[in-house]
Amino acid sequence: MERFRDYIKNDILIMDGAMGTMLQKSGKLKPGMAPEILNMEQPELLVNVHKQYIEAGANIVETNTFGANRVKLKEFGLGQKTREINQAAVRNARAAAKGNAFVSGDIGPTGKFLKPIGDLDFDESVDIYKEQAGALLEAGVDLFSIETMMDIKEIKAVMIAIRELCDLPIMAMMTFNEDYRTTLGTPPEVAAIVLEALGADVIGANCSLGPEGIYNVIKRMSRVTGLPLISEANAGMPLLKHGVTVFPASPEQMTEHMEQSLALGVRVYGGCCGTTPDHIKHIAETGFKLHHSIAYETKQDTALKLASRTEFRELLLSKDTLLIGERINPTGKKIYSEELRSGKTKYIREQAALQQKAGAHVLDVNVGTPGIDEPSMMSKAIFAVNGASTLPVSIDSSNLQAMESGLKAIDGKPLVNSVTGEEKRLIPTLKLIKKYGASAIILPVDEKGLPKTSAERVAIAKKVIGAAERMGMKKNNFVVDALTLTISAEPHGGEETLKTIRAVSDQLGLPCVMGLSNISFGLPARSVLNSHFLSMAMSQGAGLAIVNVLDEDMKKAFVSASLLLGRDENAKQFLTVFSGQDRTPAPVKADDGDIFAKLQNAVIKGDEEGITGMVEEALSHGYEPLVISNKGLVPGMDVVGQLFKTGKFFLPQVMLSAETMKKAFTRIKKEIKKQQKGTKKILMATVEGDIHDIGKNIVITLLENNGFEVIDLGKNVSTEEIVQQAKEKRVDLIGLSALMTTTMTEMNSVVKAVKQNGLGIPIAIGGAVVTPEYAKEIGAELYAKDAMAAVERIKNFFGVQ
């Protein structure tokens, strides 16, 4: 364990190449077979593959366990053999390594989305991975490698599972599309911030992209982290030649960006799909020549970093001030309190969107209301905020169970509000913050109560920082609450707050946060007092302020102070606010009489709670079900599609809108009865040998929500079954999905079989490895690169509006 960590400080390690590529070449991996079962059935084959990579120069070999979690193995009827398969894989790798290479336990995704996008519970996900990691650990791996993850929440579950078992090194990798975001919208910077916070030893990217693409991802990661990096590119982007999948990159092409990558901090270099021992040999030879000439620099990182799934914020001491929107807090808000008691989230979603539009950088989420299940409601509130906003979140609760519930639900790296100096709460709170990779506000209070002087506040903050550092946490993950006291009761409270900001900065090197509205409590003209105090605090170096961002005085004070303190380059923010340029496009205007505009907005915003009531309202006005659909629901989904195309929406928002639309259609279908005789019928299937169906399921949801009847045959479906069902069901179109290059050729088989049987049914194809060129080559009528494009192409094909 320590040998690995020492090694990557000053040297590079070479990872092995593709296991699947080698197994396919051997002829032992048959269509529809789980590669992992070969660990038990053909151990000598696996030992030989590992040996070839070690002889080529690899000093890390990964176990053949990428899909060896019980969810994936269950697809092949092997779920009950999870432990045996993982342990056999470790034995094979160890037999080949013989102490000459590190053995890394390889862990990949389950193929299921976590809640609220999918139906997999976070705790269940942790349990699934804990079972696999436990088996690998027991068999004697030296470290773990987590690969090809596209959901930041799923990789969090894996890392938590491993850390609950041991402290072995973790190499954590995500996979990115050509737009340099994961399928769920996470950019490289967010991935790096979250993975470092969760305790990864090495972070990076693998699969999906060739050497240049992976280099660009690594370059962006290096801007926000000082951790060692790992690069595992495919051997180029796959091509289909004469019915065979080919990865075109030569061994020499795999190292074209190696010198720049090493200079950025790459310490582990390997290969993913399509790479062979020849590729790894050239990588090893080139790497060992280059690394001696690279001047490695240790990056000193002092910035506080927060992230949502899709965005991140950095806070440098005395150089930035971030505004935390305070509106999602039930104190003094009767409507919100009542909504919390009924389990609703309309207010939360509305306030999240409004505060982001008004300029908030972080959103505070507090659900503390008497008479509710706070842990359950916190989880629900975080889901709602994540769906309505792209901003990082501050989890505001003194209830440790609610805090943990929020930490499980969060998509990125949150701020926890707060940890105190009270002995009974200090360590339990810090443990949660560390486990879930969060930052935190230090509230400088202890058993003695609220300290009045800055010296006392700094002393308590030092105590908390000391405890955190002894637990292995970094100081720059904390900010200190300067304690804003009400000046009507404490005339010198404001002055002491400003002293605290300066003292914390000078003595601890940390930024302060303030609950700004406390200063004016009980006084008139609160907005004026609050906004002036914000300017004063910013001038003293305040890093964050919890404010009402909807207050125009506050907004003007913030941009004015930012300009005067030299933080607003070219007066961009100032001019935007004061020249009337902050007029962002409003949603479809909806008054009480425009029910169709209401429906459109509900779909766009993902208002699952309110959509059914709006459909009922439209029906009560006498509108026909299909009119409601065509004038209210479908146009809303069209807007979502455009937002997705332009990168303003990502898959989580699309799925939320789709689920909202589905709820509306569920109600409408009760009224339609026999009106759907002319509905187009589509058969959907993942081809034989392929057990991936996430993309297909998204397409199905969207198609159904656009009025199509869909027959889902599932995954790993034979050509014969597809043709037979297409005949029997008399479908209008067949939709095929494949994620792997080894299975996409089955699409050609289906196209040929449909033609040979004279069915005359058009075929649409899609999937991560499928290209428009391949669709043209095999004669498929339609191709789509993603779910939204698939629906649009199919609608256009049938002339459906």
Side-chain angles (χ1 to χ4, degrees):
M1 177 171 68
E2 293 310 320
R3 188 160 63 98
F4 174 85
R5 289 181 173 133
D6 288 340
Y7 208 103
I8 59 174
K9 288 178 183 176
N10 303 301
D11 217 327
I12 67 167
L13 290 166
I14 304 300
M15 188 86 115
D16 58 10
M19 175 60 73
T21 298
M22 298 297 286
L23 295 180
Q24 288 151 21
K25 281 186 175 182
S26 74
K28 302 292 185 181
L29 184 62
K30 306 299 181 185
M33 176 187 285
E36 293 77 16
I37 193 60
L38 293 174
N39 291 314
M40 297 175 69
E41 295 181 353
Q42 300 277 343
E44 67 287 346
L45 171 63
L46 274 300
V47 172
N48 183 48
V49 172
H50 291 311
K51 280 183 177 179
Q52 288 184 59
Y53 280 121
I54 293 169
E55 290 167 2
N59 40 27
I60 303 176
V61 290
E62 293 183 292
T63 56
N64 178 35
T65 52
F66 177 76
N69 59 72
R70 67 174 181 252
V71 174
K72 277 286 185 72
L73 291 175
K74 187 178 179 182
E75 303 287 347
F76 300 96
L78 299 170
Q80 75 283 3
K81 293 187 176 181
T82 300
R83 182 172 178 274
E84 295 94 319
I85 288 172
N86 279 279
Q87 297 203 333
V90 179
R91 287 196 298 272
N92 296 334
R94 285 222 163 278
K98 294 181 178 178
N100 296 315
F102 293 105
V103 173
S104 182
D106 191 26
I107 296 178
T110 61
K112 292 183 175 292
F113 284 134
L114 275 71
K115 292 177 180 177
I117 301 169
D119 57 5
L120 185 61
D121 184 75
F122 186 83
D123 287 336
E124 184 183 357
S125 181
V126 171
D127 187 64
I128 289 165
Y129 286 118
K130 199 169 181 179
E131 177 185 25
Q132 183 183 6
L136 292 167
L137 179 66
E138 187 179 334
V141 294
D142 299 309
L143 66 151
F144 291 92
S145 46
I146 309 167
E147 293 187 305
T148 324
M149 289 285 175
M150 57 184 174
D151 183 353
I152 196 73
K153 193 178 288 184
E154 184 172 29
I155 198 169
K156 177 168 78 172
V158 184
M159 293 189 66
I160 287 172
I162 294 171
R163 284 290 173 253
E164 286 184 356
L165 294 169
C166 67
D167 190 38
L168 287 185
I170 297 174
M171 299 189 295
M173 290 162 273
M174 298 198 75
T175 188
F176 298 85
N177 300 326
E178 291 179 352
D179 62 354
Y180 299 120
R181 287 183 180 268
T182 68
T183 299
L184 295 184
T186 299
E189 295 88 348
V190 167
I193 289 167
V194 174
L195 296 176
E196 179 174 0
L198 287 165
D201 295 88
V202 182
I203 61 174
N206 78 298
C207 206
S208 296
L209 299 170
E212 183 177 5
I214 293 293
Y215 167 71
N216 289 331
V217 169
I218 293 297
K219 188 175 182 180
R220 288 175 59 174
M221 286 185 167
S222 71
R223 294 169 185 162
V224 296
T225 183
L227 283 182
L229 301 168
I230 178 170
S231 171
E232 267 198 4
N234 287 346
M237 301 305 288
L239 303 172
L240 196 71
K241 291 186 177 180
H242 311 297
V244 178
T245 302
V246 176
F247 286 87
S250 67
E252 291 74 21
Q253 288 172 315
M254 291 295 293
T255 60
E256 286 179 353
H257 298 277
M258 193 169 194
E259 185 171 2
Q260 301 99 308
S261 297
L262 295 177
L264 290 174
V266 170
R267 296 292 181 273
V268 183
Y269 214 103
C272 203
C273 301
T275 55
T276 65
D278 288 340
H279 292 91
I280 298 305
K281 182 179 180 182
H282 187 73
I283 288 171
E285 290 173 349
T286 306
F288 290 132
K289 287 177 186 175
L290 284 174
H291 96 95
H292 293 296
S293 63
I294 302 295
Y296 296 121
E297 293 182 12
T298 302
K299 186 175 179 180
Q300 297 298 323
D301 189 6
T302 59
L304 170 76
K305 300 183 187 75
L306 303 173
S308 65
R309 182 188 290 274
T310 58
E311 291 186 14
F312 69 99
R313 301 285 177 181
E314 289 185 282
L315 175 65
L316 289 166
L317 182 63
S318 299
K319 291 187 178 180
D320 304 291
T321 300
L322 301 181
L323 300 182
I324 303 177
E326 69 177 11
R327 300 283 301 166
I328 307 176
N329 188 313
T331 303
K333 299 181 183 68
K334 185 178 179 182
I335 292 175
Y336 179 32
S337 296
E338 290 174 353
E339 197 172 89
L340 288 172
R341 291 189 184 96
S342 62
K344 303 292 184 182
T345 61
K346 181 182 177 183
Y347 176 88
I348 295 172
R349 286 182 284 104
E350 287 177 346
Q351 290 300 318
L354 282 171
Q355 289 182 103
Q356 176 164 0
K357 184 179 175 183
H361 305 114
V362 181
L363 296 178
D364 187 78
V365 179
N366 185 310
V367 297
T369 300
I372 70 164
D373 180 347
E374 189 176 346
S376 175
M377 195 63 218
M378 178 62 82
S379 177
K380 202 171 182 180
I382 295 296
F383 287 160
V385 170
N386 285 343
S389 164
T390 59
L391 297 180
V393 166
S394 172
I395 300 171
D396 187 356
S397 179
S398 58
N399 181 320
L400 290 182
Q401 288 181 310
M403 188 184 292
E404 184 167 21
S405 181
L407 288 165
K408 290 176 182 178
I410 208 77
D411 284 338
K413 182 187 178 187
L415 185 66
V416 166
N417 186 4
S418 54
V419 55
T420 72
E422 299 166 284
E423 292 293 341
K424 65 179 181 180
R425 292 182 56 83
L426 177 57
I427 299 304
T429 308
L430 287 176
K431 283 182 177 179
L432 284 182
I433 292 164
K434 182 181 180 182
K435 178 178 179 178
Y436 292 97
S439 291
I441 295 172
I442 297 172
L443 183 66
V445 299
D446 57 17
E447 290 79 5
K448 297 177 183 176
L450 196 70
K452 291 190 175 183
T453 69
S454 61
E456 292 172 300
R457 296 170 192 178
V458 170
I460 295 172
K462 282 182 178 178
K463 171 186 173 182
V464 175
I465 292 296
E469 290 182 328
R470 286 190 293 276
M471 293 172 63
M473 302 170 75
K474 293 183 179 179
K475 187 172 76 170
N476 66 329
N477 272 320
F478 293 89
V479 296
V480 179
D481 192 327
L483 292 182
T484 309
L485 303 179
T486 304
I487 57 169
S488 58
E490 296 283 345
H492 297 287
E495 181 184 5
E496 204 63 40
T497 298
L498 298 177
K499 282 184 183 178
T500 303
I501 293 171
R502 292 193 298 271
V504 168
S505 176
D506 293 342
Q507 297 179 44
L508 298 179
L510 291 176
C512 276
V513 61
M514 307 173 300
L516 205 74
S517 59
N518 292 342
I519 198 76
S520 63
F521 186 77
L523 293 171
R526 295 191 66 188
S527 178
V528 174
L529 274 173
N530 293 345
S531 57
H532 278 292
F533 192 62
L534 173 63
S535 299
M536 294 171 70
M538 288 175 66
S539 73
Q540 298 302 307
L544 302 99
I546 304 171
V547 302
N548 178 7
V549 292
L550 304 184
D551 183 332
E552 283 299 314
D553 288 337
M554 190 70 68
K555 188 176 189 178
K556 291 173 181 177
F558 175 72
V559 297
S560 298
S562 296
L563 177 62
L564 294 169
L565 291 169
R567 302 176 185 175
D568 185 7
E569 189 175 353
N570 299 320
K572 185 178 178 181
Q573 288 185 83
F574 185 84
L575 292 174
T576 299
V577 170
F578 287 99
S579 64
Q581 294 175 19
D582 59 339
R583 299 290 184 265
T584 53
V588 182
K589 188 176 180 181
D591 55 38
D592 291 339
D594 193 350
I595 186 59
F596 298 127
K598 283 184 180 179
L599 288 164
Q600 287 180 44
N601 282 332
V603 171
I604 294 167
K605 294 176 180 178
D607 185 3
E608 288 185 273
E609 294 172 356
I611 192 73
T612 304
M614 293 177 199
V615 172
E616 294 286 3
E617 182 182 346
L619 289 170
S620 70
H621 290 329
Y623 291 113
E624 289 293 320
L626 290 179
V627 172
I628 296 171
S629 173
N630 294 336
K631 287 191 175 183
L633 304 176
V634 174
M637 204 65 199
D638 287 342
V639 172
V640 172
Q642 289 301 313
L643 291 170
F644 180 74
K645 269 186 183 179
T646 56
K648 294 177 181 176
F649 265 26
F650 300 101
L651 192 56
Q653 289 104 318
V654 173
M655 292 298 291
L656 183 60
S657 293
E659 287 301 317
T660 301
M661 199 166 173
K662 189 174 183 178
K663 283 197 171 184
F665 271 116
T666 299
R667 176 63 187 91
I668 286 173
K669 283 177 183 177
K670 294 178 182 179
E671 305 296 324
I672 291 178
K673 298 179 181 178
K674 303 293 183 180
Q675 293 180 30
Q676 275 195 321
K677 286 183 179 179
T679 299
K680 297 296 181 182
K681 192 183 296 184
I682 299 174
L683 182 145
M684 295 289 293
T686 301
V687 296
E688 187 170 14
D690 203 317
I691 61 167
H692 303 89
D693 65 352
I694 289 177
K696 173 182 66 67
N697 292 343
I698 294 169
V699 173
I700 289 171
T701 298
L702 296 179
L703 285 172
E704 288 179 337
N705 292 345
N706 278 274
F708 292 96
E709 181 182 346
V710 181
I711 299 163
D712 180 16
L713 297 186
K715 50 198 170 187
N716 192 19
V717 186
S718 68
T719 296
E720 294 76 15
E721 177 71 7
I722 292 170
V723 171
Q724 181 183 340
Q725 290 297 319
K727 272 184 186 178
E728 291 180 5
K729 306 295 185 183
R730 297 183 179 183
V731 300
D732 298 292
L733 182 137
I734 297 171
L736 303 176
S737 174
L739 185 72
M740 301 185 297
T741 55
T742 53
T743 58
M744 64 187 279
T745 53
E746 291 297 318
M747 292 176 164
N748 192 24
S749 301
V750 176
V751 172
K752 287 180 178 177
V754 167
K755 290 178 180 176
Q756 287 168 0
N757 282 270
L759 298 184
I761 302 172
I763 295 176
I765 67 172
V769 295
V770 182
T771 64
E773 292 77 17
Y774 181 58
K776 185 177 180 180
E777 180 181 331
I778 68 175
E781 284 77 5
L782 296 173
Y783 158 81
K785 73 171 187 175
D786 55 51
M788 295 300 295
V791 175
E792 184 178 351
R793 295 276 172 85
I794 291 170
K795 286 171 69 176
N796 290 339
F797 185 80
F798 288 117
V800 176
Q801 298 300 314

